[in-house]
Amino acid sequence: MPRPRKRPAGAAGPEKNGQSEKHTKFENSGEASAKVENSSPQKTSVFKNCGRNLSNYWLMKSEPESRLDKGVDVKFSIEDLKAQPLQTACWDGVRNYQARNFLRAMKLEEEAFFYHSNCKEPGIVGLMKIVKEAYPDHTQFEKNSPHYDPSSKEDNPKWSMVDVQFVRMMKRFISLAELKTCHQSHKATGGPLKDMALFTRQRLSVQPLTQGISHW
């Protein structure tokens, strides 16, 4: 079955003033990227509040509003995911080594929060699950794709993607501002969101989560 192509931002820029992000194709370059190319993703806690026990839980960013990159609209919202056949799509276009390594660490049935970024109101809008583990991202070989990487070879591809399937919308929208408030509070108290990558490693478009977010 042909896999619907989704095009999330490959690496997300810092959130500004709690409102938006600046997206770039690569988070890091040169030595900075090389240092994390083969790094192992950190382990996260077991989650029990989303219908199954999971070894890892994730947050994945995508842009819900139209933006052209090399003539291609990179928009992909949770509504777009819901509209796909079987509500399933491939999560392509990640061009950061650490984010790629997180994709490669994902296992079947693990769940991820769908985060709308680079928009008026960034935040968590829904839940999805991994339905196919990491495999080569086709866009790295497509010259007309904004995610084309001429240095990647078909016999040794640099970039990976996973397939995701819509699970449900959040019971309520969880804004970046609310997440930031929780993060700052937990920094002061030593709570579970004190090291949330959304704020400590802001450019990552794919990141692991800690157990503290599971109550949502």
Side-chain angles (χ1 to χ4, degrees), residues 2-170:
R3 301 206 173 262
R5 296 183 180 182
K6 74 156 300 295
R7 302 181 184 275
E15 304 276 5
K16 296 182 180 180
N17 301 322
Q19 291 298 318
S20 64
E21 298 177 293
K22 179 181 178 183
H23 288 261
T24 54
K25 183 177 180 183
F26 294 90
E27 176 183 4
N28 299 305
S29 60
E31 293 182 3
S33 289
K35 289 179 180 178
V36 297
E37 179 173 1
N38 295 312
S39 62
S40 297
Q42 67 188 59
K43 299 298 182 182
T44 54
S45 303
V46 173
F47 282 74
K48 298 181 179 180
N49 292 354
C50 295
R52 53 181 66 86
N53 294 336
L54 304 176
S55 58
N56 287 300
Y57 211 76
W58 309 94
L59 183 144
M60 300 169 75
K61 300 180 182 179
S62 190
E63 299 184 43
E65 298 175 359
S66 290
R67 179 177 68 83
L68 295 181
D69 187 351
K70 297 182 180 179
V72 176
D73 192 348
V74 296
K75 170 185 178 293
F76 193 82
S77 68
I78 195 165
E79 289 78 15
D80 293 321
L81 176 60
K82 288 174 64 178
Q84 297 286 354
L86 302 180
Q87 298 184 319
T88 300
C90 58
W91 200 269
D92 63 31
V94 171
R95 295 296 180 269
N96 168 268
Y97 285 121
Q98 193 163 34
R100 179 210 64 184
N101 288 346
F102 287 138
L103 288 176
R104 291 180 176 180
M106 293 176 178
K107 302 300 181 185
L108 288 177
E109 299 300 312
E110 289 182 346
E111 292 182 328
F113 287 110
F114 197 121
Y115 182 95
H116 279 175
S117 65
N118 198 25
C119 57
K120 183 178 180 181
E121 292 187 282
I124 296 172
V125 293
L127 194 68
M128 55 191 177
K129 65 180 179 179
I130 310 306
V131 293
K132 183 174 181 179
E133 294 179 7
Y135 62 104
D137 179 348
H138 54 79
T139 63
Q140 65 194 303
F141 307 120
E142 298 175 353
K143 293 184 179 180
N144 62 343
S145 169
H147 307 300
Y148 174 61
D149 183 355
S151 68
S152 185
K153 308 302 179 185
E154 293 199 26
D155 59 351
N156 186 27
K158 284 186 178 181
W159 308 110
S160 301
M161 62 185 181
V162 298
D163 286 356
V164 298
Q165 185 176 57
F166 175 80
V167 173
R168 63 173 173 87
M169 301 297 292
M170 301 306 294

Side-chain angles (χ1 to χ4, degrees), residues 182-202:
C182 290
H183 167 66
Q184 291 176 335
S185 174
H186 287 200
K187 281 180 66 178
T189 62
L193 298 185
K194 64 184 176 65
D195 297 320
M196 191 176 185
L198 186 63
F199 303 102
T200 62
R201 297 148 85 183
Q202 295 173 327

